[in-house]
Amino acid sequence: MTRLAAGGRIEAICGCMYSGKTEELIRRLHHVTIARQKLAAFTPRRDTRYASGTLVSHNGVKIEARTIDSVHNIRQHLDHGVQVVAIDELHFLDDPAEEVRAVCQQLADDGYRVIVAGLDQDFRAEPFPAMAALLAVAEQADKLYAICVCCGAYATRSQRLIDGAPAPTAAPTIAVGGLELYEARCRACFLQPM
Ligand code: ADP
Ligand code: ZN
């Protein structure tokens, strides 16, 4: 039997748009710096919402991050002493879900605390495969909620709108945008794309 490196674990933070995933990730990473541990934060290149290379929550709190094109680029950027690896906006990674899962599992087996944050569902309310896989294998999984802009209930879904109407189901899975493109909605207020 092989014993894996101590301390390794996976934490998955998921939810719909505006549920506070980035805020929660930044809160955990802030604690990491207070504990004087070394971290490496990554964000897929796709997210052009804000200045690349920085994790920014909707309320403006920031943490430095490196942009990556693939989950396979993470290892080469882990300097000596790094204990915590964070990936924000996991859903923007192009890699197949099984590769994302394998890389995160290997990092955790090697003793890293891996914290991932991202959407659990796309605009059709279909699961994002990489997040679904990591939620299954994570030591800690947290699902956050936003507030439904229609009724004020807890929102679990991200409604993509084009001129006020739901985007068609054939639209691309990824479309980068904020309040002009997406609304947080509950199950009852969510309009299923056709
Ligand atoms: P995420 O990473 O999940 O998209 P952020 O951490 O970037 O979320 O932003 C969360 C913040 O978004 C909240 O603290 C709040 O200020 C703001 N916000 C905007 N719209 C909503 C909404 N409908 N429900 C909840 N928070 C919202
Ligand atoms: Zn609602």
Side-chain angles (χ1 to χ4, degrees), residues 8 12 42 46 56 83 102 126 139 177:
F42 298 92
R46 279 254 186 83
V56 189
Q83 286 161 279
E126 293 289 337
E139 272 74 14

Side-chain angles (χ1 to χ4, degrees), residues 5 27 31 40 46 59 68-69 71 87 89-90 96 99 123 132 142-143 147 149 155 161 172 189:
R27 196 181 73 90
H31 284 172
R46 279 254 186 83
N59 65 3
I68 47 169
D69 293 309
V71 76
I87 312 171
E89 309 278 15
L90 190 83
E99 290 181 25
F123 75 101
D142 291 284
K143 180 154 179 150
I147 298 300
V149 296
L161 296 167
C189 296

